[in-house]
Amino acid sequence: MSLLKTEPPTPVKTLEELFAIAHAMEHEAAERYADIAGRMKDEGNPVLAAIFERLSADEKGHLGQVAHWSKQTRGKAPDPALIRWKIPETFDDEGASTIDPRLLNAYRALAMAVRNEERAFAFWSYVAAQATVPEIQQAAEAMAREELGHVATLRRERRRAFHANRSTEDGSAGGELVQDAAFLEQRLADLLEPLAARAPEAERVRMRTFVEEARQHALELEGAPIGTPSGSLLRALPDSPIALAELLTERYLEAADSLRDERELLRAQEFAGRAIARLAWLRSDLPELRHSEDR
């Protein structure tokens, strides 16, 4: 099952264990979608908050179905103590819990949810294939069919979000889509330079290093661009250095995922490594620097 990072170490032995696993998986997804929804609400993005709230509600509905099935067939609620091994990771927020909300949209949120459901489908398909007891195999197959239904529903919603986003882009006025990493690096340097001039001496040195590095990146990329997948294109530039640094980090990582030429892949990974280090420092220290300016 290529969608799974790891596979269950042993077959599921009882229906009680199967229900406990299913309950734990649905509970984690519900909680993590709810956390992301809360963050989107705090960040002032009610559209994405509503999407993640609905995803959380859907998972809570699945949670209730598992509990009902367990009580109906075994007369008791799922018991997490019956899980004998660490459940393989099927939920991945793909950075949604930390990414700047301006870099996320409905299509990407739903695409992430689709991939989570696909991993859950792969997990239950694996459990069914490894089952040694007919009732375990049948129950796991039922779980897999349920997850496949969720995949189909979310895929339809993702398509609608894609076309809605495309219509908005086609109808919006002015300018080309921002996709050139050299331009973005230059823009980041321009945003950081005045901040560096006002920073205390110790931080000023680091900030100026980032300014020079960004300008050097821009020069390198003008001469030899790194291809960026179209899924990460934006029309509006973030006006926050942290958001822009995050966008550049994402671009380099996406490029590394899509490149097949080994030399170009290593180059993209080098850019990504430097971008990650830069982003980590900006996330940690830039808010404090701005706070000190305001005092």
Side-chain angles (χ1 to χ4, degrees):
M1 293 294 176
S2 59
L3 286 172
L4 294 176
K5 295 178 182 178
T6 58
E7 297 173 347
T10 60
V12 174
K13 297 293 187 182
T14 66
L15 270 184
E16 288 84 355
E17 183 183 16
L18 183 144
F19 291 139
I21 292 169
H23 196 268
M25 289 169 59
E26 302 290 1
H27 182 266
E28 181 191 17
E31 290 295 308
R32 292 181 67 177
Y33 281 139
D35 289 343
I36 298 170
R39 178 172 178 264
M40 293 300 156
K41 189 177 293 183
D42 292 342
E43 295 282 354
N45 195 323
V47 174
L48 284 175
I51 289 173
F52 284 108
E53 284 172 353
R54 203 216 66 218
L55 289 171
S56 178
D58 288 347
E59 295 298 340
K60 288 177 182 175
H62 306 159
L63 195 64
Q65 291 170 2
V66 171
H68 176 74
W69 190 6
S70 177
K71 290 176 182 177
Q72 189 178 48
T73 58
R74 285 299 185 260
K76 57 185 178 180
D79 181 0
L82 296 176
I83 302 175
R84 296 175 295 115
W85 29 258
K86 183 178 179 182
I87 301 172
E89 293 182 16
T90 57
F91 187 96
D92 184 353
D93 71 10
E94 301 181 12
S97 60
T98 57
I99 195 170
D100 189 291
R102 287 167 291 188
L103 305 182
L104 193 63
N105 58 31
Y107 173 81
R108 290 190 59 194
L110 290 166
M112 178 261 285
V114 167
R115 286 187 284 272
N116 285 333
E117 297 293 349
E118 288 174 340
R119 279 188 287 272
F121 167 75
F123 172 81
W124 289 117
S125 297
Y126 182 88
V127 171
Q130 297 300 310
T132 57
V133 180
E135 68 173 356
I136 302 298
Q137 180 181 3
Q138 292 164 12
E141 288 173 349
M143 292 286 189
R145 287 194 298 272
E146 187 74 15
E147 297 296 350
L148 198 56
H150 303 162
V151 169
T153 299
L154 286 168
R155 279 182 175 274
R156 284 195 296 271
E157 295 190 23
R158 185 181 66 174
R159 274 197 302 275
R160 284 197 292 269
F162 173 80
H163 291 300
N165 188 59
R166 175 64 61 85
S167 297
T168 301
E169 288 184 348
D170 290 345
S172 55
E176 293 295 322
L177 290 173
V178 177
Q179 56 183 315
D180 183 74
F183 177 82
L184 296 177
E185 289 281 2
Q186 185 64 51
R187 172 64 175 160
L188 179 59
D190 292 341
L191 290 175
L192 290 176
E193 194 159 39
L195 295 175
R198 299 193 299 270
E201 185 173 356
E203 287 80 6
R204 188 185 311 146
V205 172
R206 177 64 65 90
M207 293 276 283
R208 283 181 171 166
T209 298
F210 287 141
V211 171
E212 293 169 6
E213 181 184 69
R215 296 203 192 285
Q216 183 59 40
H217 285 177
L219 285 173
E220 290 181 31
L221 291 164
E222 284 176 1
I226 290 177
T228 302
S230 59
S232 65
L233 302 183
L234 291 178
R235 187 173 294 279
L237 271 177
D239 56 4
S240 158
I242 295 175
L244 194 54
E246 191 163 24
L247 174 60
L248 278 160
T249 301
E250 184 177 292
R251 293 289 175 85
Y252 296 136
L253 290 171
E254 285 183 342
D257 282 342
S258 65
L259 289 168
R260 295 294 175 264
D261 180 86
E262 185 174 356
R263 186 173 178 180
E264 284 300 298
L265 171 61
L266 289 174
R267 182 166 171 257
Q269 289 173 337
E270 288 174 4
F271 272 97
R274 293 195 291 268
I276 289 169
R278 175 176 63 191
L279 176 60
W281 189 90
L282 291 174
R283 274 181 176 161
S284 173
D285 288 9
L286 191 56
E288 180 60 29
L289 290 177
R290 285 180 158 170
H291 180 63
S292 65
E293 287 180 8
D294 295 337
R295 287 191 295 225

